[in-house]
Amino acid sequence: MTTATVVSKDGTTIAYEKIGSGPAVVLVDGAFCYREMGPSRPVAEQLSDRFTVYIYDRRARGESGDTLPYDPQREVEDLQAVAAEAGEPVDLVAFSSGCAVTLATVQAGLAVRRIGLYEFPLIVDDSRPPAPEGYQQHIRDLIAAGKNGAAVKYFMHSGIRLPRLLVELFPVFPGWSKLKKTAPTLTYDGRFMGDALDGKPIPAGRYDYVSAPTTVYAGTKSPAWMRNGNAALAQAIPGAKFVDLPGQTHQVNAAKFVPTLKEFLQ
């Protein structure tokens, strides 16, 4: 795949690649992730035998630029720009907090054929405590103070609920430097996530604007709160289907995910 660029509405350069041939599919990454880190590349490679797949670096990640001050609308425009290169209507497949970006872009009027959402981090019941009071503000404060590593750890423990001992070991794991480098974008994802981690049911009618066929996925080895949240999301989106992926976690295995995804997108 060769890197190309598109200029978003505010003048920011967004880097992307495309692979394969067939109907256009755009992949949307979640927190930290971009073309060189996360699920998009392996998923794109396995979809490419039947689809033209677009993967892109969300702004302030990888080879994409950024323009301050940040506003969530800019990321909606970024996805719109990539989709325009692909040729609407497109299929959208999103991971984690990228689901929020995707749904916001659909709400803004992007023409889509199908939508696949993998594990939007939603707390909708008491299967886990909600994020702490002031959670998003604390992440913003840590980033503003230049404490990127501390922000990563706080997000992983207080947001994702990974065990504290595991989180403390993150600096010795491969990829720690990439996590710290992209940590400032946690504040961007936070703007999209809104009340998703507050532990309250999804308000009635929130996703009534979604008219494209939609499938929501969750792994059977993910925690109960994640599975419950995504099951509730499927119920909240008109006509959506919920699919459990056997043996999968939030870090989905492309080889296990793509066959099911192809069945939906065909």
Side-chain angles (χ1 to χ4, degrees):
M1 290 186 279
T2 302
T3 300
T5 59
V6 63
V7 178
S8 194
K9 188 175 180 179
D10 72 342
T12 301
T13 298
I14 303 299
Y16 73 92
E17 300 172 35
K18 69 175 180 178
I19 181 175
S21 61
V25 180
V26 180
L27 306 185
V28 186
D29 277 315
F32 298 112
C33 297
Y34 54 104
R35 288 178 297 153
E36 300 307 324
M37 183 171 70
S40 285
R41 189 176 297 283
V43 168
E45 289 172 350
Q46 297 208 23
L47 280 173
S48 63
D49 61 336
R50 288 167 55 182
F51 300 91
T52 302
V53 189
Y54 290 73
I55 58 175
Y56 74 103
D57 294 337
R58 288 174 55 191
R59 63 174 51 210
R61 310 179 193 200
E63 296 182 68
S64 288
D66 195 16
T67 303
L68 299 177
Y70 177 78
D71 187 292
Q73 179 60 26
R74 304 291 83 78
E75 288 215 66
V76 168
E77 292 163 358
D78 298 345
L79 180 49
Q80 289 172 330
V82 174
E85 291 293 303
E88 298 178 49
V90 297
D91 293 335
L92 297 179
V93 178
F95 306 92
S96 193
S97 53
C99 297
V101 179
T102 294
L103 289 168
T105 308
V106 171
Q107 187 175 25
L110 181 68
V112 294
R113 193 177 73 102
R114 283 179 168 78
I115 304 167
L117 304 173
Y118 189 83
E119 290 202 353
F120 188 155
L122 290 165
I123 308 172
V124 298
D125 55 25
D126 60 0
S127 53
R128 63 153 277 189
E133 187 75 22
Y135 165 75
Q136 298 290 0
Q137 183 60 53
H138 188 56
I139 289 178
R140 290 193 290 270
D141 291 344
L142 289 171
I143 295 299
K147 298 179 179 180
N148 287 14
V152 172
K153 291 180 179 180
Y154 181 73
F155 168 83
M156 292 294 186
H157 179 64
S158 297
I160 303 301
R161 299 289 288 183
L162 293 181
R164 186 178 297 277
L165 180 60
L166 175 62
V167 169
E168 290 301 322
L169 292 174
F170 266 43
V172 302
F173 292 165
W176 175 244
S177 61
K178 290 182 178 180
L179 289 176
K180 288 200 299 180
K181 185 175 181 180
T182 57
T185 63
L186 287 173
T187 64
Y188 294 8
D189 282 88
R191 296 282 296 276
F192 274 102
M193 290 293 288
D195 59 1
L197 297 178
D198 287 356
K200 299 176 182 178
I202 298 171
R206 171 166 287 186
Y207 299 112
D208 283 356
Y209 58 83
V210 180
S211 59
T214 301
T215 298
V216 181
Y217 302 88
T220 60
K221 287 192 175 180
S222 288
W225 69 268
M226 187 78 77
R227 298 196 308 275
N228 295 351
N230 281 269
L233 177 63
Q235 291 181 341
I237 295 174
K241 180 181 178 182
F242 177 69
V243 173
D244 265 324
L245 286 179
Q248 294 306 293
T249 67
H250 200 58
Q251 279 68 50
V252 68
N253 181 302
K256 303 293 185 182
F257 178 41
V258 170
T260 302
L261 184 60
K262 283 180 176 177
E263 290 179 11
F264 169 59
L265 297 178
Q266 68 182 0

